[in-house]
Amino acid sequence: DTAVSQTPKYLVTQMGNDKSIKCEQNLGHDTMYWYKQDSKKFLKIMFSYNNKELIINETVPNRFSPKSPDKAHLNLHINSLELGDSAVYFCASRPAGSYEQYFGPGTRLTVT
Amino acid sequence: DQQVKQNSPSLSVQEGRISILNCDYTNSMFDYFLWYKKYPAEGPTFLISISSIKDKNEDGRFTVFLNKSAKHLSLHIVPSQPGDSAVYFCAASRGIIQGAQKLVFGQGTRLTINP
């Protein structure tokens, strides 16, 4: 299937731990994103990468570190997890020249 | 500062009738607008879009209207079907510079289609 995939789908962890979320797209898109949907259901951009280069960093705490090993993958590593990090994280990709973004199924992170 | 607002958190419509979802924005630099549909436990999926140089775009049962002077857009679904029950997000974008394009989302409207 051609799509944007994320692993894991659910992640429950304790405060202070470090965790990673992986994203892969096989659509051949150059640009990938991480969005966060908080408890109030707002979807807000966190990062954007274009061909493995960081383009957008929306004042996200530096505990969050995205990594793009190649243009098909954009992973999100979170250090020292806090309760407020609990949210659903969505990965997305976009083809060059288009406004439309394609979203993954989301990863629900719960920090206890 | 919420630049894109969907003031109705929920909307209930009878099957077969028209559903109208509204969205307001504040940033006049936005030049492209999109509607996404989201089912529970899934990611948002693209539905329809409109460029700021147009005032209407139609795709089957879905039509988006843009009123630039009022900074307002709406999504019309007619006739509404039970499968349309979902959360609808309005999103706005400004320019496409290499990788720098981002979507600014409203908070969503939950649409329920009643049989």
Side-chain angles (χ1 to χ4, degrees):
Chain A
D1 286 344
T2 54
V4 181
S5 59
Q6 296 179 228
T7 54
K9 190 163 176 67
Y10 300 96
L11 184 54
V12 181
T13 188
Q14 291 184 325
M15 283 176 56
N17 285 346
D18 304 338
K19 291 293 178 185
S20 292
I21 306 172
K22 295 186 176 181
C23 178
E24 176 181 2
Q25 56 94 6
N26 60 6
L27 299 165
H29 296 166
D30 290 333
T31 307
M32 295 184 72
Y33 301 82
W34 278 110
Y35 286 83
K36 177 181 179 181
Q37 186 179 32
D38 61 22
S39 57
K40 295 182 179 179
K41 306 302 182 187
F42 287 107
L43 259 166
K44 291 186 178 177
I45 189 168
M46 300 174 68
F47 300 103
S48 164
Y49 267 72
N50 182 266
N51 278 324
K52 302 191 297 177
E53 181 184 352
L54 178 66
I55 302 296
I56 296 174
N57 181 340
E58 287 283 309
T59 60
V60 177
N62 58 16
R63 298 184 295 105
F64 291 78
S65 53
K67 283 188 171 53
S68 182
D70 55 61
K71 75 173 195 176
H73 295 84
L74 180 61
N75 304 322
L76 184 64
H77 188 76
I78 315 170
N79 289 327
S80 304
L81 278 155
E82 300 177 357
L83 292 176
D85 298 331
S86 295
V88 182
Y89 292 84
F90 290 98
C91 177
S93 70
R94 177 179 66 83
S98 171
Y99 285 91
E100 181 185 335
Q101 295 183 17
Y102 296 74
F103 284 80
T107 296
R108 180 176 292 277
L109 171 65
T110 303
V111 182
T112 62
Chain B
D1 177 29
Q2 193 64 15
Q3 297 184 67
V4 178
K5 296 180 183 179
Q6 294 174 255
N7 292 318
S8 298
S10 62
L11 176 66
S12 185
V13 174
Q14 195 168 8
E15 183 179 357
R17 299 289 187 103
I18 183 170
S19 296
I20 301 176
L21 295 96
N22 294 303
C23 177
D24 296 297
Y25 62 96
T26 57
N27 189 338
S28 58
M29 298 297 290
F30 288 138
D31 61 0
Y32 205 83
F33 303 89
L34 307 90
W35 284 94
Y36 279 80
K37 177 179 179 179
K38 185 182 180 305
Y39 292 119
E42 295 184 10
T45 55
F46 171 73
L47 192 58
I48 191 170
S49 62
I50 188 167
S51 164
S52 61
I53 62 173
K54 296 186 175 182
D55 55 19
K56 177 182 175 181
N57 187 27
E58 189 172 353
D59 183 3
R61 297 186 298 114
F62 303 92
T63 303
V64 56
F65 295 92
L66 175 62
N67 182 334
K68 281 183 64 178
S69 60
K71 294 192 178 67
H72 177 84
L73 63 154
S74 61
L75 173 68
H76 292 212
I77 306 172
V78 55
S80 299
Q81 298 175 354
D84 296 331
S85 295
V87 176
Y88 289 79
F89 289 96
C90 171
S93 182
R94 130 181 202 197
I96 297 185
I97 302 172
Q98 194 73 353
Q101 181 255 9
K102 66 179 183 182
L103 295 179
V104 179
F105 283 89
Q107 61 268 55
T109 295
R110 181 178 300 279
L111 175 64
T112 302
I113 305 301
N114 301 308

